[in-house]
Amino acid sequence: DIPMQRRDPDAGDINAGLRFSRYFGGVDLQFVAISGLDFEPLGALSFDQGEPVIETFHKRRELYGVSAESSFGAIALRGELAYSPERLFNTGAAPRLDTVALDNWRGAIGVDINAPWNVFINLQFLYDEVSQAPADLVRDRVERVFTALFKRRFAYDTVDIEFRFYQSMAYRDRLLRGALSYELSDTMTLKLAVENFQGDSRGPFGQFNQRDQVSLTWELTL
């Protein structure tokens, strides 16, 4: 495996955003505009004493989005659409990694359900497309992911059990995650989580199919 190292962002990089919201006809509408460092890193191939190294770094991007949400009793429906013009992506042009600026569209539809027995359910379908993507684009031109969350609280909200399911539609790979947390006090929480990756090694989740993990986290809030 080629080692990786992280490049720190420039000191002058800041994030800025605007959000406008309006409740109209039973629908909560929101419009956002954001400029700042992309949360998904890019990569560059360099050499350290003759050995290849992948250096990860973040570049700026602009994002413009709109969302709409409405509720019907115990069910809430939500839709989102986002556009990032000339967002930078990696291309695998040999013998190095290059970047190219391409328009990026993202959309999502979701539903929140307050089910019987105090079970909270969230279902989402995510669609992500890169416009006019070249053949050597490192990521897929189109990504489609279905997600599901089931959650319930017990013992006067001190015990929290959740199950998460992520399914890639292109490669049929998936992530299964279960977690149990216990609130020891107002400032301390103990969480046990198990993550299992399955499926095609080319997919966003299947590439980690040898990296299942169990974690125990102690969280202190001051």
Side-chain angles (χ1 to χ4, degrees), residues 23 34 52 62 90 96 121 138 140 157 171 189 198 208 221:
Y23 192 77
I34 301 172
E62 281 68 49
N90 270 130
R96 57 194 176 93
I121 302 174
V138 170
D140 290 332
D157 290 343
Y171 297 102
T189 302
Q198 303 175 9
F208 303 108
T221 304

Side-chain angles (χ1 to χ4, degrees), residues 3 5 46-53:
Q5 63 183 25
S46 60
F47 291 87
D48 183 7
Q49 297 181 354
E51 295 296 327
V53 175

Side-chain angles (χ1 to χ4, degrees), residues 26-98:
V27 179
D28 185 10
L29 296 173
Q30 294 194 42
F31 303 88
V32 298
I34 301 172
S35 176
L37 291 179
D38 198 332
F39 67 94
E40 293 183 355
L42 296 166
L45 184 63
S46 60
F47 291 87
D48 183 7
Q49 297 181 354
E51 295 296 327
V53 175
I54 295 180
E55 186 178 35
T56 62
F57 59 96
H58 296 263
K59 286 295 186 180
R60 298 189 67 83
R61 71 158 175 173
E62 281 68 49
L63 181 144
Y64 308 95
V66 59
S67 67
E69 182 174 347
S70 185
S71 60
F72 310 90
I75 299 176
L77 300 177
R78 181 178 61 261
E80 301 176 356
L81 180 64
Y83 169 61
S84 294
E86 297 187 343
R87 185 184 179 191
L88 290 178
F89 294 93
N90 270 130
T91 57
R96 57 194 176 93
L97 289 173
D98 282 335

Side-chain angles (χ1 to χ4, degrees), residues 95-171:
R96 57 194 176 93
L97 289 173
D98 282 335
T99 58
V100 61
L102 301 167
D103 293 344
N104 182 207
W105 292 91
R106 290 184 169 186
I109 55 174
V111 56
D112 296 333
I113 305 172
N114 290 316
W117 302 293
N118 294 323
V119 177
F120 173 77
I121 302 174
N122 171 260
L123 306 174
Q124 291 190 95
F125 177 74
L126 312 175
Y127 182 87
D128 186 330
E129 179 177 345
V130 180
S131 300
Q132 298 181 335
D136 59 353
L137 190 70
V138 170
R139 57 154 282 176
D140 290 332
R141 183 185 67 85
V142 175
E143 293 181 348
R144 294 167 296 159
V145 177
F146 171 77
T147 74
L149 165 66
F150 302 87
K151 188 173 184 178
R152 193 182 191 283
R153 288 180 173 271
F154 300 87
Y156 302 101
D157 290 343
T158 60
V159 178
D160 189 305
I161 295 178
E162 68 175 42
F163 173 76
R164 295 178 182 267
F165 172 82
Y166 298 81
Q167 173 78 55
S168 167
M169 309 304 291
Y171 297 102

